[in-house]
Amino acid sequence: MTAVAYSLPDQPTIVPAWLGAVSYLNEKGSVYDLSFTVEHPQRMTAGESQVVISHDNFLRQHNSSVSTVSNTIFPLRLYKMHGYPKFLGQFDSMNNRLKESGSWGSYFQRLAAGKYSGQRPIEVIINKMRKQLSKESGAFGRIYEWSAPLYDPSLDCGRVVRQPCLSHISFKLIEKTSLRVTAIYRSHYYNAKLLGNLIGLRDLQRFVCEQVEIEPGPLTIFSTYAVFD
């Protein structure tokens, strides 16, 4: 294991980024502070889709799937069925019925829950972006960042296992024309989780962009600990 931070080469789309990262970790085993950027996360060729299907078939042999992982970040099918904001209420209802005993929940549950202020963090993010993008000039027209709260001290500080691996999501407006997303993981399993995580983050990015009428930009992953599982 190396203690030196390492940044992998930028990749145009999700699948080459995943394959490059997995190949690197297959050789190294595990590393600290590994990062990479996907320049166009919304694009996917037919050949890349087949790679996703193949990996999904592999995961299903181990009681998982790409969609199981991606849905923890963004429930794309529910959003397509009901639209915004109605799908948030549908998500609440489903989450309350299906949450396992002892589970910390899901990332989107924390983005969608109004536990402390009564406001959903994802709606706060969208409303702030809309407000700032409507300003024509001045300080509020510059680049802004909104940080999504994924760590809940009241639930997570006593946990040693079964706790969130995704620690932070940063949304940055780039010159009021595109949205850059950066995700920081405290611990990241690149074979079992990374491809689904990338797809879930892509879907979340596209959702926010649709709501604020802006183009998706790059997606960056920073794993403080990365392992080939």
Side-chain angles (χ1 to χ4, degrees), residues 21-170:
V22 168
S23 177
Y24 175 76
L25 278 181
N26 187 36
E27 176 184 347
K28 299 293 184 180
S30 59
V31 298
Y32 292 108
D33 299 334
L34 180 65
S35 63
F36 63 89
T37 294
V38 184
E39 296 171 340
H40 305 287
Q42 304 300 323
R43 300 178 186 176
M44 186 173 292
T45 68
E48 290 169 354
S49 296
Q50 286 301 312
V51 173
V52 174
I53 291 171
S54 295
H55 188 60
D56 184 69
N57 290 335
F58 166 77
L59 291 178
R60 288 180 185 277
Q61 297 175 23
H62 300 274
N63 301 314
S64 184
S65 70
V66 171
S67 62
T68 298
V69 177
S70 65
N71 282 337
T72 65
I73 298 175
F74 188 77
L76 180 62
R77 185 176 179 182
L78 202 64
Y79 168 56
K80 287 184 173 180
M81 288 177 61
H82 300 284
Y84 177 75
K86 186 178 179 180
F87 89 106
L88 295 174
Q90 296 292 326
F91 177 82
D92 288 341
S93 177
M94 292 181 60
N95 186 68
N96 290 335
R97 293 198 311 269
L98 300 177
K99 183 178 178 181
E100 298 179 8
S101 177
S103 170
W104 59 265
S106 71
Y107 301 114
F108 190 75
Q109 185 272 328
R110 296 192 176 188
L111 284 171
K115 178 177 178 180
Y116 297 108
S117 65
Q119 300 182 69
R120 299 179 188 269
I122 192 64
E123 289 188 313
V124 172
I125 290 168
I126 289 169
N127 291 335
K128 282 186 175 181
M129 286 187 181
R130 285 174 174 171
K131 182 177 180 180
Q132 302 308 323
L133 288 167
S134 70
K135 296 180 180 294
E136 295 182 358
S137 61
F140 291 105
R142 296 200 301 261
I143 297 172
Y144 280 78
E145 176 182 351
W146 291 273
S147 300
L150 297 172
Y151 183 86
D152 184 342
S154 67
L155 297 175
D156 300 328
C157 64
R159 292 179 182 270
V160 177
V161 296
R162 300 192 73 180
Q163 60 178 311
C165 290
L166 176 56
S167 301
H168 181 86
I169 305 177
S170 169

Side-chain angles (χ1 to χ4, degrees), residues 209-221:
C209 287
E210 288 174 355
Q211 303 314 311
V212 301
E213 298 182 344
I214 197 170
E215 292 298 314
L219 168 62
T220 295
I221 301 293

Side-chain angles (χ1 to χ4, degrees), residues 174-224:
I174 308 300
E175 298 179 355
K176 300 182 71 172
T177 61
S178 64
L179 179 68
R180 184 182 192 112
V181 174
T182 301
I184 300 175
Y185 284 82
R186 66 166 184 86
S187 182
H188 211 172
Y189 297 97
Y190 272 48
N191 192 26
K193 302 291 187 180
L194 177 59
L195 185 57
N197 289 156
L198 288 169
I199 290 174
L201 290 165
R202 174 203 68 182
D203 294 342
L204 176 64
Q205 180 188 41
R206 183 168 59 220
F207 160 69
V208 174
C209 287
E210 288 174 355
Q211 303 314 311
V212 301
E213 298 182 344
I214 197 170
E215 292 298 314
L219 168 62
T220 295
I221 301 293
F222 190 93
S223 304
T224 59

